Amino acid sequence: MQTLKIKSNKREEIVEITREVEAVLCESEIKDGICVLFTQHTTCGLTINENADPDVKHDFLLFLKNTIPQYYEGFRHFEHNSDAHIKSSLVGASVTVPFENGKLLLGRWQGIYLCEFDGARERKVLVKII
Ligand code: ZN
């Protein structure tokens, strides 16, 4: 098991981690299998999405922010980050990517992303190569 440390610079940010994952895969020297990424945090998530147009990341965050505002009438959680907890569950805490010949089988336009919903801070992403 390897641990990636990923820094976010804003409260809400989508940080591409594809290269970091590829580096772990390369180090493992395993050629065929699956790569499982998992985060133990409750206010960020992991996803796979488009890596070409940065506006996709912008629109993704904008939509979530408008749909799930930080301050919502009736929220009770004392940390005032219930929006981040909800977004974390919607996005999910893990992704799985198959690989062959030492290469992740991502689509041409796919990248792996950490979705930060309560930064800025450092996050850990566990990487298990099987
Ligand atoms: Zn909280």
Side-chain angles (χ1 to χ4, degrees):
M1 184 82 73
Q2 295 283 321
T3 302
L4 298 176
K5 291 180 178 172
I6 309 296
K7 279 193 181 131
S8 59
N9 299 302
K10 299 179 199 166
R11 182 168 192 271
E12 299 191 335
E13 184 179 10
I14 296 183
V15 183
E16 182 161 14
I17 61 170
T18 311
R19 280 190 188 158
E20 288 84 346
V21 176
E22 285 171 343
V24 172
L25 180 58
C26 188
E27 248 174 55
S28 79
E29 295 182 358
I30 300 173
K31 295 300 173 200
D32 298 288
I34 55 171
C35 176
V36 179
L37 309 180
F38 179 73
T39 180
Q40 296 175 313
H41 304 288
T42 61
T43 55
C44 69
L46 294 168
T47 195
I48 293 172
N49 214 312
E50 176 169 322
N51 62 5
D53 180 0
D55 283 344
V56 172
K57 294 195 286 185
H58 169 272
D59 294 354
F60 184 92
L61 286 178
L62 178 71
F63 182 80
L64 283 178
K65 192 173 192 164
N66 286 341
T67 307
I68 309 163
Q70 182 176 4
Y71 300 101
Y72 182 83
E73 193 181 342
F75 275 174
R76 302 200 309 205
H77 181 43
F78 69 99
E79 288 183 313
H80 302 293
N81 64 353
S82 287
D83 64 314
H85 289 293
I86 294 165
K87 291 167 192 164
S88 170
S89 275
L90 289 177
V91 168
S94 72
V95 295
T96 303
V97 185
F99 60 94
E100 265 181 4
N101 301 318
K103 283 201 76 176
L104 294 171
L105 295 176
L106 290 167
R108 182 176 174 188
W109 305 112
Q110 287 182 320
I112 306 170
Y113 295 92
L114 174 100
C115 303
E116 175 63 78
F117 299 121
D118 197 23
R121 63 170 90 180
E122 185 177 274
R123 301 294 199 170
K124 288 180 186 164
V125 176
L126 303 182
V127 183
K128 183 74 177 176
I129 310 285
I130 301 165

